[in-house]
Amino acid sequence: MKIYFIMKKLVLFSIVVLALSPLYSQDGKQTFTRKVLLEQFTTAQCGYCPAGAERIGTAISGNNNVIWIRFHAGFRTDDLTNDVATAMTRFYGPETFAPAIMIDRTRFNSGDPGPVFGVGDVSDIRYAVTSAKSVDTYCKVQTPELTYDPSSRHLSGSVNGRFSDRVFGPSTRIQLFIIEDSILMAQSDYNPAPHTVNYWHMGAVRDVVTPLWGDELSVNEDDNNSFTYQVDYTLPDNFVYKNCRLVAIVYNYNPDDINDCQVLNAAISNFFDRNLGVGEVSESLDIRLFPNPAANHVFIESDDAMNELSIVDATGRLCLKKELHGEHKSGLDISSLSAGMYVIRVSSQRGLAVRSLVVR
């Protein structure tokens, strides 16, 4: 029996050591965890986009290593279409359409002219994401370290990272996007019937902090091939800073070949008001959510008098809403919701708290 426990401890110790050890590719270079970049092309004019977004949300549900952003271009325009989104349609090739996605700016189907492809079945999206995750990355991009001043609307800080070997060069660039969540706007939807709905648009690319196609990286070869990129940006007045995040992308830039612009790695910041991040609770609002995961009912408690509860799905669609009148505890019947990841919002006179909710 004593030998059994000794062997058990040795096995557990070995597992811990392996878990903490760096990963290496077959050629002996150190690799890092890859954050897969999923870039969707969508507009409020696209009647098939809500269903496409739902399939994307289902495909990546529970996957914390996918960064999902949206360019409002590809099929007509809407109020969120900008020069950045329009320029990014170059990755299609000769024809644009929506809904469409590209994953790590890599072509997965030789029949496609570029890395952009149509939003197919859930299994197709999962396959592409899994394929992207399996590609070794020798670039590490850390979560951006940012400071935001609401009074001046100034964003400052840095994006840091490093390369595990000389896998960088003049074509390696860093590109920084400002994305915004929870923009309530109309959305065409052909399912189940043609109509326009009020829709919470999520992850919309609002601006680019770097030059449009990014900046060249200055790498310190004497310090483990590390890099630091300084952020200095003033948020426009029409951006809701509490719903904004910074997405950092390191990729290969080839202006002459859209199929040679693969993403090496990416990272995403917290919300500029950290207290409003999904999965985080505002320090000014004490919110307790249970059970989580939930199947039929979910209950919310708060020390503050609550004004409203709402649940939004992964596509940004408002699923449930409940007006409150100063209650400190309330419940929601969620039996009508499909299994997946949702966001629950709780508002009071002192602000807003946002939490993630898993429905099973």
Side-chain angles (χ1 to χ4, degrees), residues 55-87:
R55 295 197 297 276
I56 295 171
T58 300
I60 67 174
S61 177
N63 194 329
N64 295 325
N65 287 330
V66 177
I67 298 172
W68 181 8
I69 66 177
R70 283 88 157 180
F71 296 107
H72 280 246
F75 179 78
R76 300 180 185 170
T77 60
D78 61 27
D79 290 343
L80 295 176
T81 302
N82 51 35
D83 291 342
V84 179
T86 302

Side-chain angles (χ1 to χ4, degrees), residues 310-350:
S310 60
I311 293 182
V312 179
D313 68 13
T315 72
R317 187 192 303 275
L318 179 64
C319 300
L320 295 172
K321 184 177 180 180
K322 184 176 182 180
E323 298 291 339
L324 302 176
H325 305 281
E327 290 95 331
H328 292 266
K329 181 177 181 179
S330 186
L332 280 174
D333 182 353
I334 59 170
S335 58
S336 63
L337 299 181
S338 302
M341 183 71 70
Y342 294 82
V343 173
I344 187 164
R345 300 165 174 273
V346 181
S347 66
S348 79
Q349 291 183 347
R350 290 206 293 150

Side-chain angles (χ1 to χ4, degrees), residues 197-266:
V197 297
N198 283 330
Y199 192 85
W200 290 100
H201 292 265
M202 310 291 282
V205 175
R206 301 285 267 148
D207 201 2
V208 60
V209 175
T210 56
L212 176 59
W213 297 111
D215 254 342
E216 290 186 21
L217 278 173
S218 178
V219 178
N220 187 346
E221 297 185 46
D222 294 328
D223 185 22
N224 293 320
N225 296 322
S226 63
F227 63 84
T228 296
Y229 188 86
Q230 297 298 324
V231 178
D232 185 0
Y233 178 80
T234 299
L235 208 67
D237 291 339
N238 61 327
F239 293 10
V240 179
Y241 78 91
K242 294 180 179 182
N243 296 335
C244 289
R245 305 175 82 170
L246 181 86
V247 175
I249 301 160
V250 175
Y251 79 113
N252 182 70
Y253 175 61
N254 186 338
D256 300 318
D257 186 354
I258 59 174
N259 290 305
D260 187 29
C261 296
Q262 290 82 4
V263 173
L264 305 182
N265 218 335

Side-chain angles (χ1 to χ4, degrees), residues 87-105:
M88 294 297 290
T89 60
R90 74 180 287 263
F91 287 111
Y92 276 89
E95 244 183 305
T96 61
F97 54 90
I101 57 176
M102 61 178 171
I103 297 177
D104 279 346
R105 300 178 184 174

